[in-house]
Structure formats: structure tokens, C-alpha cells
Amino acid sequence: MIPIPVVVCVVGGWCAVYLTDTLLKSSSSVRNGYESWLSSNGLALSPFHIRWQTSLFNRLFAKCARLNPHFLLLWFSAGMVFGVLAMFGSVVLLTRTLLQTLAQMMSETPEGSNDQVLQVVVPGVNLPISQLAYFFIAILISGVIHEFGHGVAALREQVRLNGFGMFVFVIYPGAFVDLFTTHLHLISPVQQLRIFCAGVWHNFMLCVVALLALLLLPLFLFPLYSTGTGALVTEVVEGSPASGPRGLFVGELVTQLEDCPVRGVEDWHSCLRQLSHSPQTGYCVPSTSLQLSWPGGRVYKRLDGSMECCSNSSLTDLCFSYSSNLESRLFACLPARKTIQASRTCRSNADCQTDLTASLCVLPSLENQTRLIRVRHPPQSDMLFVGYPVHLQLAVSLTDFVPRFGFLHFDLPVVLETFCKYLVSLSGALAVVNAVPCFALDGQWMLTSFLEATLSSLVTEKSSRELLGFFILLGGSTLLAANVALGLWMVTAR
């Protein structure tokens, strides 16, 4: 569910704004001055919507539209081709997303929801409050670049630009350009298509640029930060299994999980996945230190069928199972840290035969699906984690970038990396959504121009073309609305 404080703040804030606006407009003494101030500043208020428009940037748009006419023609023609392909591709993508959502609704568990390309984003629910700044800045930049494409393409096609503006709807920021409608109707459908596809095209290119910046970030930051030496801890959830005096701390470098080397964040996640799906790792222990910790009758089964041989009150001992030449399965209650600290990992007794002393491979006897994981973070002593690997994954945030100098902080690469990821996601999502043939989106005008440009000779009646476009728009609008409604329900109600 959406957090109540978030709803209260949003609704309360908008009510206060709208109430103030209503009171000022109803006052005979300040009404004229207030409305004149709003008009002169290009401001307009309505419930849950505030809009600002200006002509200050018209010269900048005009200058960009005159930079290189030949290049701009090729640029926006390529955008037109991409926009048409994106229009059809968005329908396929939304259909696939809708089918995935319906499949998740029918299942008992929401597994696979993270595999969806498109997801509804609700601040405070599936968007951390701590990352709201990234979200709003990225979506505003994506919107500005989108409208910049429309504006420059329109001026290149000799369509007058009345102004540029920005708005806030509920909590989501955006941008727009105001084009002279009469000029739009006078140009050819192909010229119109170049203008209407420019926004989607610019969002796609912004997505590509942000993705390249993300991939080349280690190269850009190479003089200041090194990579490939481990995963640097940037945050540990308080009270989690990874916290505490023997846990992980911010600024420490994780280099290994059991016998799986960790050279970066991707290795960290890969190792945890590998450990969760592989049998529990064992440890080579000298045979002389192994004794039956309890008589045979004191070893008991847990509910899941695993064996326990230690006292429930013990916080340092752990039950281990092993086999010898005489008996197939024995159990020993051993001090976990002392047993594991200097031991090599193993899978069977054969892996321990290289030791100078006779050793056996002991395996932690744990409940189903839980694992004992040794986390190396030198120079500190190893952290021993007992539990579900996914809990360790969620408890720790890491980065690939290790500062080369003591005065550098690890926050800079994290900020740049996170912001690039938001730009890729939101600019790409804005391109997909706007390409959908749907009422009130770019897809509506892209579809209309496309039908006029391709079907005018085949379907001579304009009313027939408009009717065909209407039904396509109706289907696209229904598809988008269904995705938004079901996606919102999955995020907030499930």
C-alpha cells in the first residue's frame, strides 16, 4: 500500500495551493493583480496541476534549428524511422508486459516481477524515499530533452514555436512546447511525422548516452577510483544479519564469499546466487579435533529433516556433520569461528587429503535453504553469516569504485552511477510510453501522420482513414490503461 504520510503530504499540499488560489481569485481587492501576475509569469493553476510557460528560450531553439540543416534533416529523418518502429514495438512490449502481469496475478508468489521491462513506479512503495531526488531530476531532464526535440524539429520544418514550459502533475514533473497549430496543418504528413517522432527519438538517444556514460564510468573515474579489487561496502542495514561488531562496516572491501572471489558488485550478486543454489560448502577440520558432541540419542531432527546436535542457547557453536571410514554419518558440535577461520573449503573428504594432518570435510547441519557463508573483508576477521543468502544480499549495499586517495569519498561514483541508471530507465520508459498509439500522447499524432503518409493513395476517403486511426488509438489506449491499472494494483495492493 502507498504510505499514508505520503498521501497526506501530497493531498494536503495540493489542497493548500488550490485553496489559496481560489481565495485570491475570489477576493475583489487582489483578484485583478493576482491574475495579472499569473498571466505575466506564464503560470496556470488547476487541481493537482501547475503549469509554467515562457518564450525566453525561443531564440535558443531557433539557433539550434539553424546549426546544420543537412545534418538535422538526416537526424530527424532517422528519428522518424525510429519513431515508426517504436510505435509498433511499444504495442508488442505492452502486450507482453500485460500478459506477464496477468500471469503474476494468477500465481501465488510475485516472482518474476523484476523481470518486466516496464513497471509502474510509486514513490514510497517500489521507489525508495532516499532516491526521490534521482527520480524527479531524471524524469524532468528526460521531459526537457523530449520537448527540445519537438521544438527544434518544428522550427526546422518552418512551424512557429510559441513557447516552452514545464508542469507538475500531482508529484510528477514534465515539460512541453507550444507549437502554432495552423503551421502544423499546412506542412506534409512526412514533415509532421518528423516533428512528432522527434521527442521519442531524443529520449532514445538520451538513454543511449546515459548507458554509454554508465559503461564508461570506470574509465572516466580511473584517475581517482580503482575497480576490480573487490566490492566496497557503502551501506549496511541496521539490525540486519550483516550488522554488529563482527559484521560488515561502511568503507570495508569484500574480496571473497566462501571460495568465490569478489572483484565487484556483479561478482557479489553472482556468488550469492551460486551459493544459494549449490550444496553447502564444507571445511577441512583435523580428525583429532572431531568428537561426538552428544551421545547418539541426543542428536535430533528438526521439522525440515535436518539434524541438530548443539544446545539451542549456544550463540557460538554450530552442529557439523561428517563421515569417516567407520561410520557413514556423524555429528559434532564445534565452535563455528574457530573451526572455520583457518580452514580450507571442501566438498568431500577427498578435498582434504592434501593437508599434512589427517583431516575430514565437515558440513554445517543447517535448516533447509539456509547457508553458512564466510565473508572475507581484510584486514578484518571473516564475517560468518548464517541464514538465507538473499537476506545478506538485501542487507548490504556495495559499489565497484574504491577511492585511490584518502580524501575522496565513495559517494561520488554511487551518485553518478545511480543517476545514469535512472536516466536510462526513465528516458527509455518515456520513449516507449509516448510511442504507444494512444489518445493525448505523441503516439496519437505519430499514428495520424503515418496513416496520412502511407494510406492516402490506398484509402482515398479521409473519413475512412480517421476511423481506422480511431480504432487503433482506442486499442492502444485500452492496452496502456490496462498496464497502468494492473501494474499499479500489483505495486500498491499486493
Side-chain angles (χ1 to χ4, degrees):
M1 294 295 292
I2 301 177
I4 299 300
V6 174
V7 177
V8 171
C9 290
V10 171
V11 175
W14 276 111
C15 287
V17 170
Y18 188 63
L19 180 61
T20 303
D21 178 65
T22 303
L23 290 175
L24 291 174
K25 287 181 178 179
S26 61
S27 173
S28 57
S29 58
V30 299
R31 176 180 178 178
N32 292 335
Y34 174 65
E35 291 183 343
S36 175
W37 179 81
L38 288 177
S39 178
S40 62
N41 287 278
L43 290 170
L45 289 171
S46 58
F48 299 101
H49 184 268
I50 184 170
R51 166 180 167 143
W52 170 71
Q53 181 175 338
T54 181
S55 58
L56 293 175
F57 303 103
N58 286 13
R59 287 189 177 182
L60 175 62
F61 279 90
K63 185 177 180 180
C64 293
R66 294 192 300 267
L67 284 178
N68 190 325
H70 180 67
F71 170 77
L72 289 180
L73 175 62
L74 295 176
W75 176 260
F76 289 115
S77 296
M80 178 182 66
V81 175
F82 172 80
V84 172
L85 295 176
M87 184 169 56
F88 293 105
S90 64
V91 174
V92 175
L93 184 58
L94 284 181
T95 302
R96 179 185 173 188
T97 303
L98 182 61
L99 293 176
Q100 287 180 337
T101 305
L102 290 173
Q104 292 167 29
M105 291 175 64
M106 299 300 179
S107 66
E108 294 293 332
T109 58
E111 292 182 0
S113 59
N114 293 330
D115 298 332
Q116 287 186 339
V117 178
L118 294 175
Q119 287 185 339
V120 175
V121 176
V122 181
V125 180
N126 60 346
L127 175 68
I129 298 297
S130 60
Q131 296 189 2
L132 284 180
Y134 296 111
F135 176 79
F136 288 125
I137 293 174
I139 200 171
L140 182 59
I141 290 176
S142 300
V144 169
I145 295 299
H146 179 100
E147 298 302 329
F148 178 79
H150 284 312
V152 174
L155 288 171
R156 205 209 71 83
E157 302 294 345
Q158 306 303 314
V159 174
R160 191 177 77 191
L161 175 67
N162 294 327
F164 165 82
M166 291 186 286
F167 65 88
V168 176
F169 177 69
V170 188
I171 58 173
Y172 297 100
F176 64 92
V177 288
D178 182 16
L179 304 179
F180 192 54
T181 308
T182 304
H183 286 178
L184 269 176
H185 292 157
L186 293 175
I187 60 179
S188 69
V190 173
Q191 290 177 297
Q192 293 176 3
L193 197 55
R194 276 199 286 262
I195 296 173
F196 296 138
C197 291
V200 170
W201 172 241
H202 275 222
N203 274 136
F204 172 72
M205 294 310 299
L206 176 62
C207 183
V208 171
V209 170
L211 183 59
L212 288 175
L214 183 62
L215 295 176
L216 296 177
L217 196 58
L219 182 62
F220 296 151
L221 297 178
F222 179 78
L224 302 177
Y225 295 87
S226 64
T227 57
T229 57
L232 188 70
V233 179
T234 59
E235 184 182 1
V236 180
V237 177
E238 190 68 27
S240 68
S243 63
R246 291 295 186 99
L248 297 174
F249 291 89
V250 173
E252 293 181 342
L253 194 67
V254 176
T255 59
Q256 194 169 334
L257 295 175
E258 290 298 343
D259 54 353
C260 184
V262 176
R263 293 174 293 272
V265 177
E266 186 58 38
D267 286 345
W268 163 271
H269 295 303
S270 177
C271 288
L272 285 177
R273 285 194 299 269
Q274 177 183 328
L275 291 171
S276 63
H277 293 99
S278 303
Q280 171 65 54
T281 305
Y283 306 91
C284 294
V285 176
S287 304
T288 54
S289 64
L290 290 172
Q291 296 178 353
L292 286 175
S293 58
W294 299 87
R298 300 294 295 275
V299 179
Y300 61 89
K301 279 188 177 182
R302 300 188 183 96
L303 294 176
D304 64 347
S306 59
M307 306 300 291
E308 177 60 86
C309 61
C310 290
S311 169
N312 290 334
S313 61
S314 175
L315 298 178
T316 59
D317 295 346
L318 196 65
C319 183
F320 290 84
S321 68
Y322 63 98
S323 60
S324 66
N325 295 330
L326 300 177
E327 299 185 54
S328 60
R329 196 177 187 197
L330 299 170
F331 296 90
C333 185
L334 304 172
R337 180 168 294 278
K338 183 178 179 181
T339 302
I340 296 172
Q341 190 73 34
S343 301
R344 293 190 303 107
T345 58
C346 59
R347 300 294 178 182
S348 65
N349 288 336
D351 297 332
C352 302
Q353 299 305 314
T354 57
D355 289 348
L356 297 176
T357 59
S359 300
L360 295 175
C361 185
V362 299
L363 297 170
S365 181
L366 301 172
E367 297 181 38
N368 191 27
Q369 302 300 319
T370 59
R371 295 287 187 273
L372 170 60
I373 301 175
R374 178 170 55 182
V375 182
R376 294 191 182 276
H377 53 121
Q380 308 299 326
S381 58
D382 298 346
M383 183 189 83
L384 302 182
F385 170 83
V386 179
Y388 297 99
V390 68
H391 291 174
L392 177 58
Q393 194 170 16
L394 296 173
V396 184
S397 298
L398 307 107
T399 180
D400 292 325
F401 299 91
V402 181
R404 295 183 183 273
F405 308 102
F407 64 87
L408 293 174
H409 203 273
F410 51 77
D411 277 349
L412 175 61
V414 174
V415 169
L416 294 176
E417 190 175 24
T418 305
F419 182 66
C420 286
K421 289 179 179 178
Y422 271 94
L423 266 185
V424 171
S425 301
L426 294 175
S427 188
L430 196 60
V432 172
V433 171
N434 270 283
V436 179
C438 171
F439 292 110
L441 293 179
D442 287 349
Q444 175 181 357
W445 317 115
M446 289 164 59
L447 176 68
T448 302
S449 301
F450 177 74
L451 294 179
E452 289 294 322
T454 57
L455 297 182
S456 57
S457 59
L458 297 176
V459 183
T460 56
E461 292 291 334
K462 185 177 179 62
S463 59
S464 299
R465 296 195 298 270
E466 291 178 347
L467 185 62
L468 175 62
F470 172 80
F471 283 113
I472 296 176
L473 290 173
L474 186 61
S477 302
T478 304
L479 181 61
L480 181 60
N483 271 278
V484 173
L486 293 181
L488 191 61
W489 181 87
M490 288 288 291
V491 169
T492 59
R494 184 154 184 173

